[in-house]
Amino acid sequence: MPLTAAPGMIIIILVCVAGLVIQKVLPLNLPAIVYISVIGMVLSLPVTPGSGYLIKWTEEVNLLALTTPILAYAGIAVGRSWADFAKLGWRSIVVGTCVLLGTFLGSAIIAEIVLRIQGVI
């Protein structure tokens, strides 16, 4: 639900903004995702005051729903531009769909096997 996920989204946005600011301020040549990851990990440590609240609020956010558009954008960014992506044609859509389907099915099969071995299902 959007209202229950709003505090978690605000926290995630603030962590991302803090990571971007730190990346611009520090002279190290590290990607912003490094700083964002470190901030997120430190904030979620049990010794960090208020980490229980932060974890509770961010658990309400469906990260899988956020991942799909982010990965799609990252994939296109790797291809350098929308124009280059459009030039690939319909075959790239078929190949991409097969790759995604194969990855999903492979992950589902591995998860099924592991969960059955563990006796969870």
Side-chain angles (χ1 to χ4, degrees), residues 20-83:
L20 290 170
V21 168
I22 290 172
Q23 191 246 353
K24 296 291 184 195
V25 171
L26 290 181
L28 303 172
N29 191 17
L30 294 173
I33 191 67
V34 172
Y35 299 112
I36 293 168
S37 299
V38 169
I39 292 169
M41 286 187 286
V42 169
L43 288 177
S44 64
L45 288 173
V47 295
T48 304
S51 67
Y53 293 113
L54 293 174
I55 292 170
K56 179 184 159 205
W57 292 329
T58 54
E59 280 179 343
E60 298 295 326
V61 179
N62 183 356
L63 292 179
L64 188 58
L66 296 173
T67 304
T68 304
I70 291 170
L71 289 176
Y73 179 74
I76 292 168
V78 167
R80 301 283 184 226
S81 71
W82 286 99

Side-chain angles (χ1 to χ4, degrees), residues 58-112:
T58 54
E59 280 179 343
E60 298 295 326
V61 179
N62 183 356
L63 292 179
L64 188 58
L66 296 173
T67 304
T68 304
I70 291 170
L71 289 176
Y73 179 74
I76 292 168
V78 167
R80 301 283 184 226
S81 71
W82 286 99
D84 291 340
F85 182 70
K87 289 178 188 174
L88 295 175
W90 64 271
R91 284 176 236 131
S92 63
I93 294 172
V94 172
V95 170
T97 302
C98 291
V99 167
L100 289 173
L101 183 63
T103 303
F104 174 75
L105 290 176
S107 300
I109 290 168
I110 292 169
E112 181 78 19

